[in-house]
Amino acid sequence: MLGEDGKQMTEIETEMAPDASADAGAVEVREVTQELIESLTGWRDELTDTLEQLTTDAYQRLILQLLEKDGVGQIELSSANDTIEGIGIFGGGGFLTFRVSFRCLRGGGRISSAEVDDFRRGVMVGRADKGLLITTGGFTQEAELKAASDRAPEIRLIDGEELIGKLKELELGVRTEQVTVERVVIDREWFGGV
């Protein structure tokens, strides 16, 4: 369900009369409501599981589509397994373009600051202007601090939550549907005045 600002609402409140729990219709309403809540909030976990279950080749193709749709072109892969590495040009065709080195890691673990340092060295060796480190997992706080330091080249971290958000934004394997819920409220005061 979307709020007035267009963002997904994750909390849904339902009101039922005290004696409605025995009513079969109320049980059905609760089941439908629970299914609706799960469809609105459980998609992130489902998408994360889907990413983890992709074959290595399918995961590589997905990452390449994601990068291309986000503006990275002329991509050259330097390795391809559960760790996908390569270099590409961001903003190709415009006045400002830069070389971006990327590494995509799959797995629920947390990336350490040592891994960020290792990636930064690889970005410098590859003579890239910026680095993009993507994981389906997360980053330790030390890794985030290391990436945010003023050291060149700049390293951009994308964790699993941001990755699935980007897949949703770019509509890569994710479709957004509008759901309308009607709630009928009996105006007892109105009936009292009839």
Side-chain angles (χ1 to χ4, degrees):
M1 179 184 301
L2 299 177
E4 291 177 16
D5 59 355
K7 293 186 178 177
Q8 179 180 339
M9 294 174 56
T10 57
E11 295 183 23
I12 297 176
E13 296 181 17
T14 59
E15 288 184 22
M16 302 194 116
D19 59 335
S21 61
D23 183 23
V27 171
E28 184 178 330
V29 167
R30 266 187 255 132
E31 289 172 1
V32 170
T33 302
Q34 185 61 34
E35 185 178 311
L36 178 63
I37 291 169
E38 288 173 10
S39 73
L40 295 176
T41 60
W43 70 271
R44 290 180 172 277
D45 292 335
E46 184 180 348
L47 183 53
T48 299
D49 291 344
T50 300
L51 292 177
E52 295 296 337
Q53 294 169 8
L54 286 174
T55 65
T56 300
D57 290 341
Y59 181 65
Q60 176 184 328
R61 288 190 301 271
L62 172 69
I63 293 300
L64 291 176
Q65 285 181 38
L66 172 71
L67 292 171
E68 287 172 358
K69 201 160 182 183
D70 201 40
V72 179
Q74 302 177 26
I75 297 172
E76 298 174 19
L77 291 179
S78 57
S79 69
N81 48 32
D82 275 352
T83 301
I84 300 168
E85 292 183 292
I87 196 156
I89 305 296
F90 186 82
F95 286 111
L96 296 175
T97 61
F98 56 87
R99 290 171 49 94
V100 61
S101 180
F102 60 88
R103 181 180 293 171
C104 306
L105 306 163
R106 194 160 47 155
R110 299 185 82 67
I111 306 299
S112 70
S113 60
E115 290 172 281
V116 171
D117 269 342
D118 177 60
F119 177 62
R120 181 175 269 130
R121 282 189 294 277
V123 172
M124 291 186 310
V125 168
R127 302 182 73 150
D129 301 302
K130 296 178 187 259
L132 182 61
L133 187 54
I134 303 171
T135 180
T136 57
F139 297 95
T140 64
Q141 185 174 11
E142 293 80 16
E144 290 174 359
L145 291 171
K146 184 76 71 173
S149 71
D150 289 340
R151 292 181 50 207
E154 177 186 343
I155 303 297
R156 172 80 164 87
L157 302 181
I158 307 290
D159 66 9
E161 284 296 310
E162 191 170 354
L163 174 60
I164 61 176
K166 186 56 108 170
L167 291 172
K168 176 180 177 276
E169 175 190 326
L170 297 175
E171 297 181 341
L172 289 171
V174 182
R175 181 177 71 248
T176 303
E177 298 174 349
Q178 296 293 328
V179 178
T180 303
V181 178
E182 181 179 83
R183 179 176 175 202
V184 179
V185 178
I186 308 301
D187 188 345
R188 297 195 184 279
E189 287 183 32
W190 184 87
F191 278 104
V194 172

